[in-house]
Amino acid sequence: AASGKGKLAQFEAAGKRGKGAPGAAEGQGTVFRNKQRVLVLSSRGITHRFRHLMLDVLKLLPHSTKDSKLEGKDRPMVINEICEMRGCNGALYFEARKHKDLYLWVARTPHGPSAKFLVQNIHTSDELKFTGNHLMFSRPFLVFDSTFESEPHLQLLKEMFQQTFGTPRNHRRSKPFVDHTLSFYVLDGHIWIRNYQCTKHEETGETALVEVGPRFCLQLHRIFAGAFQGATLYSNIDYVSPNVVRAQEKIAKSVKYAARTEAQKKSVMRNQTIPKIANPFAGVFK
């Protein structure tokens, strides 16, 4: 009974001092709690493949919360207010355009920074049908390519990915296991994202990686100082809009069509200029 009273008094004293958990020593600060919470939402008009990719990403983030679709007339800055109401300090916004292109916003709200990517090479987990399987909402290893340390904007992106995709320790929805890795690689000016299960080889017992999915590729467009707004910190000079790519493809097709039409006209003109020779045997078999 005496020990119980002593623990109760210690708990009350710690609460008055604001030192966090009971038993905190004198002079120590409050116990750190990683309260990362990410808002995941999409724009109106998203296709089924883009929606399935978003749901796959949601399954990888136990510290995420999903919101309803954002109307097309609303500017992305409205997401800052939604994050404030939902108690989120990060956001993943899947913006679909023309039912063909998908852009991903990775933002730290409400002060920024934020990055806008073009999502390419989308393959959802249902499409891939890999044999890998890991616990849902387990904490992942975050693996980054050494290229992320080569340039300042890549270092900034690495920090943003760590804060967004890293599961907080002792999160109430996370599993106390680390059985998969989220890998980020930089190749050909793109960021390739893969999800692997950590397992052991049956014969040798060595650690092996089995891909689970999803897999997709990000091409950086811009990095903004604020959340969905602000000055441009970095602009990718190699970025080409999908509209420009489609326009170039149409021009290439139109050049082929023009060449074929011109060949047909030349054939007609050539047939008209060739003199016609009467066949002397034309009336023999009448």
Side-chain angles (χ1 to χ4, degrees):
S3 61
K5 291 182 180 179
K7 290 183 179 179
L8 179 61
Q10 189 178 13
F11 180 83
E12 293 177 352
K16 292 180 181 179
R17 294 195 307 267
K19 300 302 181 182
E26 290 288 345
Q28 293 181 353
T30 58
V31 175
F32 172 74
R33 289 186 179 180
N34 190 347
K35 295 184 178 180
Q36 299 291 335
R37 196 176 185 188
V38 180
L39 179 70
V40 181
L41 74 165
S42 66
S43 63
R44 186 72 64 181
I46 192 171
T47 63
H48 68 282
R49 294 189 71 250
F50 298 162
R51 186 178 69 254
H52 291 171
L53 175 65
M54 182 185 68
L55 295 178
D56 287 340
V57 173
L58 268 171
K59 293 178 181 178
L60 299 175
L61 305 176
H63 58 292
S64 64
T65 177
K66 187 175 180 295
D67 201 82
S68 58
K69 296 179 181 179
L70 191 68
E71 296 293 337
K73 61 182 180 180
D74 295 333
R75 305 289 292 176
M77 289 81 76
V78 181
I79 301 177
N80 292 326
E81 301 178 5
I82 302 176
C83 290
E84 184 178 0
M85 291 186 294
R86 300 294 296 271
C88 300
N89 52 10
L92 289 176
Y93 176 45
F94 292 84
E95 182 181 5
R97 293 186 180 179
K98 296 185 177 181
H99 302 280
K100 298 179 181 179
D101 308 322
L102 179 65
Y103 290 89
L104 175 61
W105 289 80
V106 181
R108 305 301 302 168
T109 58
H111 304 296
S114 59
K116 183 179 180 181
F117 302 91
L118 174 65
V119 186
Q120 298 174 327
N121 299 331
I122 298 174
H123 299 282
T124 62
S125 299
D126 294 337
E127 293 176 355
L128 297 173
K129 297 182 180 179
F130 285 133
T131 58
N133 188 19
H134 60 79
L135 285 175
M136 186 176 178
F137 291 158
S138 59
R139 297 184 67 199
F141 284 113
L142 297 183
V143 179
F144 292 91
D145 187 9
S146 59
T147 314
F148 278 96
E149 301 295 335
S150 60
E151 298 184 23
H153 71 280
L154 292 177
Q155 295 177 2
L156 176 59
L157 292 178
K158 177 181 177 181
E159 183 64 28
M160 293 177 64
F161 287 146
Q162 287 178 345
Q163 296 181 16
T164 303
F165 291 94
T167 302
R169 184 180 180 183
N170 297 330
H171 192 273
R172 58 183 180 85
R173 293 179 63 191
S174 65
K175 302 293 191 303
F177 301 99
V178 182
D179 61 348
H180 70 109
T181 66
L182 275 177
S183 304
F184 301 83
Y185 305 101
V186 178
L187 182 64
D188 296 333
H190 296 68
I191 300 176
W192 304 79
I193 300 179
R194 297 290 185 267
N195 181 29
Y196 298 97
Q197 176 196 2
C198 299
T199 183
K200 288 188 176 181
H201 198 276
E202 296 180 356
E203 298 179 357
T204 61
E206 296 180 354
T207 303
L209 297 179
V210 181
E211 189 169 358
V212 182
R215 54 162 61 170
F216 55 97
C217 172
L218 302 177
Q219 183 182 14
L220 179 63
H221 182 199
R222 287 176 184 269
I223 300 178
F224 299 94
F228 304 100
Q229 59 185 345
T232 300
L233 299 180
Y234 178 82
S235 179
N236 187 8
I237 59 176
D238 297 328
Y239 170 79
V240 180
S241 173
N243 296 327
V244 176
V245 175
R246 285 191 289 268
Q248 293 176 351
E249 292 177 353
K250 288 183 178 180
I251 292 175
K253 291 181 180 179
S254 64
V255 170
K256 291 183 180 179
Y257 174 77
R260 186 170 64 251
T261 306
E262 185 66 23
Q264 292 175 354
K265 290 181 180 179
K266 290 182 178 180
S267 178
V268 172
M269 295 295 295
R270 186 167 57 251
N271 292 334
Q272 291 177 354
T273 55
I274 295 176
K276 294 182 179 181
I277 303 175
N279 187 5
F281 305 100
V284 173
F285 298 101
K286 286 185 178 180

